[in-house]
Structures are given as structure tokens and as C-alpha cells.
Amino acid sequence: MAFDQRCYDCFNRAVSKLLSKEDIEIGQAEEFAESMKNLYMVKKDEFSSPMFARELHVQIKEITKNSDPYKVGKKESNDLILGMYSSLQQKIKQAENSFEMALRLAISGNIIDFAVNEHYNINETIEKVLNSDFAINDSLLLQKELQNAKSVLYLGDNNGEIVFDKLFIETIDHPNLTYAVRGAPIINDATLEDANYVGLDKIVPVISNGYDAPSTILDKCSDEFIHAYQNADVIISKGQGNLEGLLHSKSGNIFFLLMVKCDVIAETLRVQKGDFVVKKVEV
């Protein structure tokens, strides 16, 4: 997906909010703002929003001397949903259609996205997802293909959300499912450390994609990840970041699961901001 001016404006707000929390000098913040503007002007026609976000956060880490600026918030998100784990598990078990319930809960977790908004009401979002028609709903096709798939690759997104993913994966109960996370800390996206913290490694193999963009950029990923990607019969891709990196890729039987959180993605998918989507794209 091409970079969009509105993406720059969104990054600008998120980055400004983060820098305001860090102990940095005004001159450093002003220097970074100018660097960010120059990066946009030079690169706007060359690379995607996830790559732009990656470059910005590399600079943020250098300025703040903090390799994981969102570390505290990530743990708080995981702890919040882990505290709800038993009740959510019961909700799935008691549902008339446990697959659909677990799927909807997994999508509700996509609201936890610090790149868009650090403040969210998870209970309100769960209720909305459980009682809404999806703008695009290929969930029955996903369930059917999972039943026939020999191997599944599940692409994780954000912390907190990964606990919902764990519940969905337990419900899917596929014998050959691998979960993939980012190669290093980037915004509040999940890494191996985070996946292990919520216990995903106890139920399925967990691998890193080998790169620190808030997305899946195939030409930057590790050989281990590419092998899993190329050999998966079904790929479940969570969130806007993964969609931005993979929507126009040239391989993979992909189901995109997400909450649409901006007008750019809404226009791309021809839906409305705030809609919920389960979309199959075979490329």
C-alpha cells in the first residue's frame, strides 16, 4: 500500500504523544520533528506506512535511549486481558458457536493499538463486536479451510490482543499451527518475550518474523518465517499493520482479521471506519 498524507498526520500525533512522556530536551524533540518531516518528503513515494513507522521508531529509540518505549504499556495490556482470561474462556465454552465467539473476541482485541490510540474500552469493544454484523465476513470459509489445512500460520499483532489470539487458537485446536510475532520491539506489537509472557509458547510453536516493522514485510523477514509462510495452507493475519504489508503480496492464502481504525484502510477495503472484517485474499 502506498504511503498517504493522512498516515503521516497520524504518525505525527502518536510520536508527539510518546516524546512528551520521555525525558528529552526540547531541542531534541524539535530536531526529531524536522527529521520526521524530511523523511516523509524524501521517502513518501517509495515505501509503505509500516516501513515509515519502522524508520521513525528506530530514531525514537536512539533519541530516548530506550529500546522498548512502550514496554510498560504492553505489560499492562497483557495483564488486563489475562485477568479476563477465565471469564472469556467460559464465554467461548458456553457459546452456541464457539468458533464464531472466539473469532469475534480475537477481533475485539485489535482495538489495543498504541499507534492509533492508547485509550480504549475493551469491554465496550467486546460488546460491539459480539453484536455487530461484519462489513466483510468470510468466517465460515475460514472455519472450513482450517478444518482442511495441514498447516496454519497465525500472524500476531499487538500486546493484549495476543491473549485473545491465544483463546482463538485454543478453540481452533489445530495440530500444526505456528504463531509469528515481530523480530524486535516496535510500538506495542508483540515479540517472542511477550508471546511467552502470556503463555502462547505453551500451546503452539512461536517464531519471530525476524524484522522490527509493525507489519509483515516479506522481503525483510527471516528464512525461518518465510519457510513457514510459504508452506502454510492457511495464513491468519491480524490487524491493519499486517494487512498493509501483505494485501498486495504475491503469495499466500490469507485471511485478514481486523478492526478498521482509519479512513485510509476503510477506503482500501471499501468499508467504513470502525467496521469489523474477516476477509480472504488469495494471492
Side-chain angles (χ1 to χ4, degrees), residues 60-195:
I60 288 174
K61 291 175 185 179
E62 292 176 354
I63 290 173
T64 62
K65 308 301 181 185
N66 185 347
S67 63
D68 193 358
Y70 294 89
K71 188 178 182 67
V72 173
K74 292 193 300 182
K75 184 178 183 300
E76 289 175 348
S77 297
N78 285 330
D79 287 343
L80 172 65
I81 311 304
L82 285 171
M84 302 167 62
Y85 191 85
S86 295
S87 62
L88 293 171
Q89 199 173 47
Q90 285 301 310
K91 184 182 288 287
I92 293 170
K93 289 179 179 179
Q94 294 169 4
E96 183 176 341
N97 185 328
S98 59
F99 178 87
E100 181 181 357
M101 175 63 73
L103 170 65
R104 285 177 176 267
L105 289 172
I107 292 176
S108 73
N110 194 225
I111 189 64
I112 308 173
D113 187 347
F114 291 179
V116 177
N117 189 357
E118 289 187 57
H119 304 289
Y120 53 87
N121 186 320
I122 192 62
N123 289 309
E124 181 179 289
T125 302
I126 288 172
E127 287 304 310
K128 184 177 180 181
V129 175
L130 294 184
N131 293 287
S132 296
D133 292 329
F134 288 1
I136 303 173
N137 192 353
D138 291 332
S139 58
L140 290 178
L141 185 58
L142 171 59
Q143 186 174 17
K144 180 180 178 180
E145 294 203 15
L146 285 171
Q147 291 170 349
N148 296 324
K150 293 182 180 179
S151 61
V152 179
L153 179 63
Y154 195 122
L155 310 181
D157 190 16
N158 300 315
N159 281 281
E161 180 179 0
I162 63 177
V163 182
F164 288 101
D165 291 341
K166 182 182 177 183
L167 288 160
F168 187 33
I169 289 168
E170 289 175 334
T171 304
I172 294 170
D173 194 26
H174 193 280
N176 189 17
L177 185 150
T178 299
Y179 193 82
V181 294
R182 310 300 185 221
I186 176 74
I187 318 180
N188 69 316
D189 290 37
T191 63
L192 288 173
E193 179 182 355
D194 303 316

Side-chain angles (χ1 to χ4, degrees), residues 258-270:
L258 67 148
M259 173 184 292
V260 179
K261 288 171 279 191
C262 72
D263 291 327
V264 176
I265 298 300
E267 291 167 13
T268 299
L269 297 178
R270 299 181 180 180

Side-chain angles (χ1 to χ4, degrees), residues 181-245:
V181 294
R182 310 300 185 221
I186 176 74
I187 318 180
N188 69 316
D189 290 37
T191 63
L192 288 173
E193 179 182 355
D194 303 316
N196 293 345
Y197 180 78
V198 304
L200 271 161
D201 60 318
K202 300 294 193 300
I203 61 171
V204 291
V206 181
I207 63 172
S208 157
N209 70 11
Y211 196 57
D212 59 347
S215 181
T216 301
I217 312 297
L218 292 176
D219 61 359
K220 300 291 186 180
C221 290
S222 65
D223 291 342
E224 179 187 30
F225 176 85
I226 294 299
H227 177 78
Y229 185 92
Q230 292 177 341
N231 287 278
D233 295 313
V234 173
I235 299 166
I236 297 174
S237 170
K238 288 294 297 296
Q240 289 192 169
N242 283 325
L243 179 139
E244 288 177 287

